[in-house]
Amino acid sequence: MRKYFKYFLYLYVFIGYSLSNAGSYDDFIAALHFDRPEVIQKLLARGFDPNTPNEKGIPGLLVALESESPKSALVLAQHPLTQVNAENRLGETPLMLAAIHNQIELAKVLIARGADVNRQGWTPLHYAATRGHRDMMRLLLDHEAYIDSEADNGTTPLMMAAYYGTPASVKLLLEEGADPTPRNQSHVNALDLALKVNQQKSAFYIQAFTEAWEIKELGE
């Protein structure tokens, strides 16, 4: 009888623990979607895993970023156990998403915690250039972002800035030393892309720097 009593006691404790964890999980996921950092802080203080994924297998930090919950994302990024180089189903990292959404403070925390500024394929600098976020671009460049990094299709940050970004972001990259001459797998360069979307000012900058590069190469 005593043996059965101990069995039921362990079963009761196990079920209670499971239900408690289930409740914590639901609270965590809801807090990520509705940007409730205070809930996340309480869960983390109780030992909840900051890398807990949602039902699609996406880690918490990425869920917060994809849900546009910046305060929750910042809380998770600051936690010492959070994996800052996790990737979502598209291969995007937290720093890449912070870059495209221009979340400067979050990006600083991620970089300080070891987030990859340079990586194979698309990079945070590509993402920042796509939206023309100059301050974010400067931050990444100040932390050794490779200015001429090529995505899998050969596209550089300058090409992204020329096609999607702003003339100011194009000018920044050129002044920081971006090479305006490479062509991607579609055989187009930054100037071609700027002209395609009628970004005349960007095209002017690129043409001027291209001529300077050609003169420089002749001199060498």
Side-chain angles (χ1 to χ4, degrees), residues 96-131:
M96 292 169 72
L97 296 181
I100 201 166
H101 293 302
N102 204 31
Q103 294 173 283
I104 298 288
E105 291 308 312
L106 176 59
K108 289 179 179 178
V109 170
L110 290 169
I111 292 171
R113 293 220 42 243
D116 290 333
V117 173
N118 294 302
R119 60 194 301 276
Q120 291 284 10
W122 297 103
T123 67
L125 186 58
H126 281 97
Y127 274 44
T130 299
R131 296 281 179 86

Side-chain angles (χ1 to χ4, degrees), residues 2-3 9 24-25 27 29 62 66 70 74 89 98 103 109 112 116 125 140 179 182 184 189-190 204-205 210:
R2 186 175 180 182
K3 182 174 73 172
L9 178 61
S24 296
Y25 175 80
D27 291 343
I29 297 301
L62 287 163
E66 292 176 4
L74 187 58
R89 57 197 176 280
Q103 294 173 283
V109 170
D116 290 333
L125 186 58
L140 295 168
D179 184 350
N184 63 17
N189 59 21
F204 171 77
Y205 290 141
T210 299

Side-chain angles (χ1 to χ4, degrees), residues 70-180:
K71 291 179 286 187
S72 296
L74 187 58
V75 167
L76 287 172
Q78 292 169 335
H79 196 279
L81 297 181
T82 298
Q83 297 172 4
V84 296
N85 288 310
E87 297 182 4
N88 64 13
R89 57 197 176 280
L90 298 177
E92 297 168 323
T93 65
L95 185 55
M96 292 169 72
L97 296 181
I100 201 166
H101 293 302
N102 204 31
Q103 294 173 283
I104 298 288
E105 291 308 312
L106 176 59
K108 289 179 179 178
V109 170
L110 290 169
I111 292 171
R113 293 220 42 243
D116 290 333
V117 173
N118 294 302
R119 60 194 301 276
Q120 291 284 10
W122 297 103
T123 67
L125 186 58
H126 281 97
Y127 274 44
T130 299
R131 296 281 179 86
H133 297 319
R134 283 164 48 89
D135 289 341
M136 180 65 74
M137 293 162 67
R138 286 186 184 279
L139 174 66
L140 295 168
L141 291 169
D142 287 345
H143 286 85
E144 310 301 327
Y146 179 43
I147 201 166
D148 291 323
S149 56
E150 294 185 0
D152 294 338
N153 63 0
T155 296
T156 65
L158 180 61
M159 293 178 195
M160 298 301 288
Y163 192 77
Y164 296 106
T166 63
S169 63
V170 167
K171 185 171 182 284
L172 170 64
L173 289 170
L174 290 167
E175 289 176 340
E176 292 295 323
D179 184 350

